[in-house]
Amino acid sequence: MSDAASTPVAFIGLGNMGGPMAANLRRAGFPVRGFDLSEPACKQAADQGVDIAESARATLAGAKVLVSMLPASRHVESLYLGEDGVLAAIEKDTLIIDCSTIAPASAQKVAAAATARGLAMLDAPVSGGTAGAAAGTLTFIVGGDSKALERARPVLEAMGRNIFHMGDAGAGQVAKLCNNMALGVIMAVTGEAIALGAAHGLDPKTLSAMMAVSTSRSWATEVCNPWPGVIETAPASRGYTGGFGNDLMLKDLGLAVEAAMGIGATIPLGELARNLYALNRTAGRGGLDFSSVVKLVAPEG
Ligand code: NAD
């Protein structure tokens, strides 16, 4: 892909992740035309220099790359497929990069439809959260053709720091689910461990500081600690707001369970964790950060 100014990007889905990602493309010099069903999301992106189109299809005129960042499989399938889908309207040499976290089978279905139309498509879900999206430090976990990835690289590098090519179409989604399944389990057990210590009268801050330099060290102890007041910048210290939603983690664990069932794999801890985040949703915390799962064992914590 040649230089940024001559590579117009269409960007569909300007939410918590897509908005800052599109803003970083603008900052790197890419002309960006975006669309979102939500007016506030469009307005925020417009404030960052994104040219807002009237519809998803209207972003496509002249675009050399299309990036989508939508909630789930059904949104991605309905955007791309069918008579009204954008695949029917994309110019032949436009590269498609879907950054949403969706089912691997769904990513393969949309990629196959793109291939049938002679279009190159990558699945490129991300890790790094809203902070990584804003800072342009995301990790892209990519599935698809390596030549397409080389074309995508300058666009991905404007939004992230690490790029991993995992294999063919859908492989990026499988790898993303593996990462999030491990994260979901680690977060739940870290909360449980700190709750156990606190119930024995330990100071959660000192306990976490010890764990953070010991063998249970993880992102959950050091960065997104689930106990309020331990890490000032963690969602737990601001009422579990503004992080990675419980319901998004629940979605990802559901996808991991589906992916395991599809090939007869066993993921006992992943299935248990899916149930914990489902219970946390039932308790009314679906919209809060997923670290609020600790409340299941420490309601007063
Ligand atoms: P979000 O709900 O904030 O944003 C999604 C946006 O898509 C919304 O603004 C919605 O209006 C828009 N949308 C839905 N259907 C549309 C359509 N047909 N056309 C145009 N716009 C449409 O979600 P998010 O947090 O930005 O997450 C997006 C994806 O990234 C999800 O798959 C999520 O699992 C994944 N993800 C999120 C995080 C995180 O920390 N939030 C981290 C890594 C990955």
Side-chain angles (χ1 to χ4, degrees):
M1 202 127 310
S2 50
D3 88 299
S6 56
T7 308
V9 178
F11 205 114
I12 302 176
L14 300 164
N16 291 334
M17 296 293 289
M21 289 164 72
N24 278 327
L25 287 175
R26 279 299 298 129
R27 246 169 253 137
F30 291 91
V32 182
R33 267 198 115 197
F35 175 72
D36 195 293
L37 294 174
S38 143
E39 255 181 55
C42 289
K43 186 165 178 333
Q44 271 190 355
D47 290 345
Q48 300 291 321
V50 174
D51 178 21
I52 300 298
E54 296 221 322
S55 66
R57 279 195 177 206
T59 61
L60 300 174
K64 291 199 176 154
V65 180
L66 164 61
V67 181
S68 51
M69 191 49 159
L70 302 177
S73 303
R74 68 176 191 282
H75 306 93
V76 173
E77 289 193 23
S78 88
L79 173 70
Y80 284 101
L81 305 177
E83 274 177 30
D84 297 335
V86 291
L87 278 187
I90 299 177
E91 288 163 31
K92 280 278 180 262
D93 58 350
T94 305
L95 171 66
I96 306 169
I97 309 172
D98 179 46
C99 295
S100 327
T101 302
I102 62 171
S106 185
Q108 284 162 348
K109 181 175 166 186
V110 180
T115 307
R117 290 208 64 247
L119 295 158
M121 178 163 192
L122 297 170
D123 46 296
V126 304
S127 179
T130 48
T137 56
L138 292 171
T139 294
F140 287 93
I141 310 166
V142 182
D145 175 57
S146 49
K147 279 199 198 119
L149 174 54
E150 287 322 304
R151 285 173 65 201
R153 220 170 259 282
V155 172
L156 300 182
E157 282 170 352
M159 302 184 285
R161 192 184 277 160
N162 301 301
I163 300 171
F164 288 91
H165 189 202
M166 305 308 304
D168 295 338
Q173 298 294 351
V174 174
K176 166 75 182 169
L177 296 183
C178 294
N179 180 72
N180 278 27
M181 184 175 86
L183 172 63
V185 171
I186 290 166
M187 180 59 79
V189 77
T190 299
E192 212 171 287
I194 299 172
L196 175 65
H200 276 271
L202 302 187
D203 171 24
K205 225 172 182 166
T206 313
L207 175 59
S208 295
M210 178 280 288
M211 288 169 71
V213 292
S214 300
T215 40
S216 65
R217 175 181 179 188
S218 76
W219 187 78
T221 48
E222 284 173 73
V223 181
C224 189
N225 193 291
W227 203 269
V230 170
I231 305 277
E232 285 314 317
T233 49
S237 297
R238 48 171 191 264
Y240 297 98
T241 58
F244 179 55
N246 181 88
D247 284 354
L248 286 178
M249 176 52 86
L250 179 58
K251 175 195 75 165
D252 292 355
L253 287 166
L255 292 175
V257 169
E258 261 175 48
M261 286 172 67
I263 57 161
T266 49
I267 51 163
L269 293 177
E271 292 212 22
L272 175 60
R274 197 204 72 79
N275 276 300
L276 291 176
Y277 292 96
L279 282 173
N280 204 37
R281 173 189 169 80
T282 307
R285 292 185 287 269
L288 297 184
D289 184 72
F290 77 116
S291 63
S292 64
V293 72
V294 68
K295 293 267 171 205
L296 291 176
V297 291
E300 308 305 327

